[in-house]
Amino acid sequence: MVCFIGRSNVGKSSLIKALFSLAPEVEVRVSKTPGHTKKMNFFKVGKYFTLVDMPGYGYRAPEDFVDMVETYLKERKNLLRTFLLVDSVAGIQKADNIAIEMCEEFALPYVMVLTKIDKSSTGHLLKQVLEIQKFVATKTQGCFPQLFPVSAVTYSGIHLLRCFIATITGNLKTN
Ligand code: GDP
């Protein structure tokens, strides 16, 4: 099981859609957790793995987020990796920091995905990547050192992210 978290509007649903649209052969079943206004979606990907889409967080959402997501992340023993989405145009925001601190506190293995890379110039993107890379190297313990820059519009980086997910969930065919 892997999960995706990120603040509202970071491009999470677009990314999940892009990841799945490149794999039309797998059957994806969506189940929603009832009774939550800010819902969690579970995508069961064939017999391979489950992807959990966590509710987005933002300026007003940290409390909801803390209540529900924290509990989930803390108690899930079969959570292989958490994908934390950061907007590549805006960089790491205050709300992102809350999620980063949470991952660190619970010692979750997590990966940073930079979204919407088609929106900035190469120069701006490079600057953001270098800054975030430095942040990851100096300020985090549990974050994977390699960032995954992606675009749900151009599909740039989507294949690499898929391969990474396949590897960590043990679904990469090597024959
Ligand atoms: P969510 O709230 O995190 O699920 O965000 P959405 O996936 O709904 O995306 C928020 C907005 O950003 C929408 O207007 C999307 O069209 C836009 N968006 C998402 N991904 C990309 C991307 O890779 N490139 C660009 N240019 N826009 C994107």
Side-chain angles (χ1 to χ4, degrees):
M1 180 172 283
V2 295
C3 84
F4 279 58
I5 62 174
R7 64 189 173 82
S8 308
N9 229 29
V10 75
K12 186 154 55 66
S13 9
S14 306
L15 173 61
I16 292 173
K17 210 170 133 218
L19 279 168
F20 289 142
S21 68
L22 286 180
E25 72 282 5
V26 298
E27 191 201 338
V28 179
R29 280 193 301 148
V30 185
S31 57
K32 300 189 178 196
T33 41
H36 294 287
T37 26
K38 301 200 182 273
K39 61 197 182 304
M40 270 194 247
N41 294 322
F42 291 80
F43 297 86
K44 207 162 160 31
V45 185
K47 57 180 187 309
Y48 306 108
F49 66 93
T50 304
L51 187 156
V52 188
D53 174 13
M54 296 290 188
Y57 45 89
Y59 302 106
R60 295 176 55 238
E63 292 79 17
D64 302 7
F65 187 71
V66 168
D67 278 0
M68 168 176 172
V69 178
E70 240 189 51
T71 312
Y72 177 82
L73 293 179
K74 214 159 38 177
E75 287 167 10
R76 275 290 152 173
K77 295 282 179 280
N78 54 350
L79 184 60
L80 292 168
R81 203 70 47 118
T82 298
F83 292 85
L84 200 157
L85 277 53
V86 173
D87 188 325
S88 69
V89 183
I92 296 175
Q93 306 281 294
K94 208 171 159 192
D96 300 320
N97 268 314
I98 294 171
I100 293 169
E101 280 165 21
M102 196 181 66
C103 291
E104 290 288 328
E105 190 189 326
F106 302 150
L108 296 173
Y110 65 105
V111 179
M112 249 185 242
V113 177
L114 308 186
T115 63
K116 310 187 190 179
I117 60 165
D118 59 287
K119 281 178 81 176
S120 12
S121 66
T122 316
H124 180 72
L125 179 63
L126 188 60
K127 186 172 160 283
Q128 293 285 42
V129 168
L130 291 174
E131 252 170 46
I132 298 171
Q133 236 162 27
K134 192 170 162 201
F135 174 88
V136 168
T138 58
K139 303 272 190 323
T140 70
Q141 299 285 324
C143 187
F144 194 64
Q146 160 96 59
L147 304 173
F148 286 86
V150 296
S151 165
V153 172
T154 65
Y155 283 69
S156 173
I158 303 288
H159 273 295
L160 188 61
L161 184 58
R162 274 192 66 200
C163 287
F164 184 75
I165 296 172
T167 307
I168 58 171
T169 56
N171 289 302
L172 194 67
K173 307 275 183 295
T174 47
N175 54 342

